[in-house]
Amino acid sequence: AQSVTQLDSHVSVSEGTPVLLRCNYSSSYSPSLFWYVQHPNKGLQLLLKYTSAATLVKGINGFEAEFKKSETSFHLTKPSAHMSDAAEYFCVVSESGGGSQGNLIFGKGTKLSVKP
Amino acid sequence: ETGVTQSPTHLIKTRGQQVTLRCSSQSGHNTVSWYQQALGQGPQFIFQYYREEENGRGNFPPRFSGLQFPNYSSELNVNALELDDSALYLCASSLDGFYSYNEQFFGPGTRLTVL
């Protein structure tokens, strides 16, 4: 069975400092991994996705994530936080095969706060 | 290109009632997935429709049902509403969504409150 664990429910950083949001996954098959962002009263937006190509994935707004199979991790990073990055972030796993139909399995979310 | 739209935006119902939520998929997409997001939680998969057929279902009771129409828009129906059904309901459309690597595009959601 596939699952996702986001290791921090809340992360607070100062503007201009690095961001690290941690995610571990469990999957029986070759997974696709995603990070989505949800701003208040707005829909979910895809930041980036890993689909078995390059292990270092670059996304929108300066975010990137590294797929580490040996550690079953897919942590999200950004070198310098901006006030507009304050939002809820979801790590997501999806797999084809084994009866799954490409449905997304979400973590519980990490709320990112950015202090001026 | 029109994105995913959902209606209504907000809805208040009482226990035992029935509700229908609607979703218009993005142009060119043939798959719609529905998710339930309880307050403070990540979205949970309800079911997926591909070309008008149910193509996968999460751990939700049969009183959650759906439809997909020939234009690939979709409805989510919930019968015998319970207080725990209060949540944000999200619709996502995609092309051939059963492939795990295909991006799902989300609508803004419908906020359902059950009193």
Side-chain angles (χ1 to χ4, degrees):
Chain A
Q2 48 187 330
S3 65
V4 169
T5 302
Q6 292 185 243
L7 300 169
D8 307 290
S9 59
H10 191 192
V11 170
S12 181
V13 301
S14 297
E15 191 175 22
T17 64
V19 175
L20 170 64
L21 305 183
R22 298 182 296 164
C23 172
N24 288 122
Y25 71 92
S26 172
S27 175
S28 303
Y29 297 86
S30 297
S32 294
L33 293 160
F34 308 80
W35 277 97
Y36 279 84
V37 61
Q38 187 174 40
H39 287 94
N41 301 317
K42 291 193 176 180
L44 287 157
Q45 181 184 21
L46 180 68
L47 280 178
L48 49 80
K49 67 177 180 180
Y50 165 78
T51 57
S52 75
T55 56
L56 183 62
V57 182
K58 293 188 184 299
I60 62 171
N61 301 334
F63 285 94
E64 62 181 38
E66 186 171 7
F67 173 72
K68 292 187 176 180
K69 187 175 181 178
S70 60
E71 299 176 10
T72 61
S73 70
F74 190 58
H75 301 333
L76 182 70
T77 60
K78 183 174 181 177
S80 176
H82 192 272
M83 296 297 291
S84 61
D85 294 329
E88 189 91 25
Y89 291 79
F90 293 97
C91 182
V92 181
V93 66
S94 179
E95 60 186 30
S96 295
S100 297
Q101 301 295 333
N103 52 286
L104 303 179
I105 306 297
F106 284 76
K108 292 188 175 182
T110 298
K111 183 176 181 180
L112 176 65
S113 299
V114 182
K115 297 175 288 188
Chain B
E1 183 178 271
T2 306
V4 179
T5 60
Q6 293 185 243
S7 63
T9 306
H10 296 87
L11 203 52
I12 298 175
K13 292 284 188 178
T14 55
R15 268 189 309 174
Q17 285 189 310
Q18 179 266 342
V19 69
T20 297
L21 310 182
R22 294 178 175 82
C23 171
S24 291
S25 58
Q26 188 166 308
S27 177
H29 288 177
N30 53 21
T31 307
V32 171
S33 303
W34 285 91
Y35 296 83
Q36 182 196 65
Q37 185 177 17
L39 202 60
Q41 301 293 318
Q44 283 195 294
F45 174 70
I46 303 175
F47 44 56
Q48 182 183 85
Y49 278 84
Y50 170 69
R51 295 184 179 271
E52 303 179 58
E53 297 284 335
E54 188 178 292
N55 189 48
R57 189 178 183 93
N59 190 26
F60 280 81
R63 60 190 185 84
F64 285 78
S65 63
L67 280 174
Q68 188 179 31
F69 300 99
N71 66 354
Y72 302 132
S73 65
S74 177
E75 286 183 354
L76 164 65
N77 299 290
V78 187
N79 293 323
L81 283 168
E82 301 177 0
L83 296 179
D84 284 350
D85 295 334
S86 295
L88 180 68
Y89 288 85
L90 296 165
C91 163
S93 78
S94 57
L95 180 62
D96 298 339
F98 45 82
Y99 290 120
S100 64
Y101 46 79
N102 285 351
E103 181 180 351
Q104 296 188 24
F105 294 81
F106 284 82
T110 293
R111 174 74 63 188
L112 173 64
T113 302
V114 182
L115 302 175

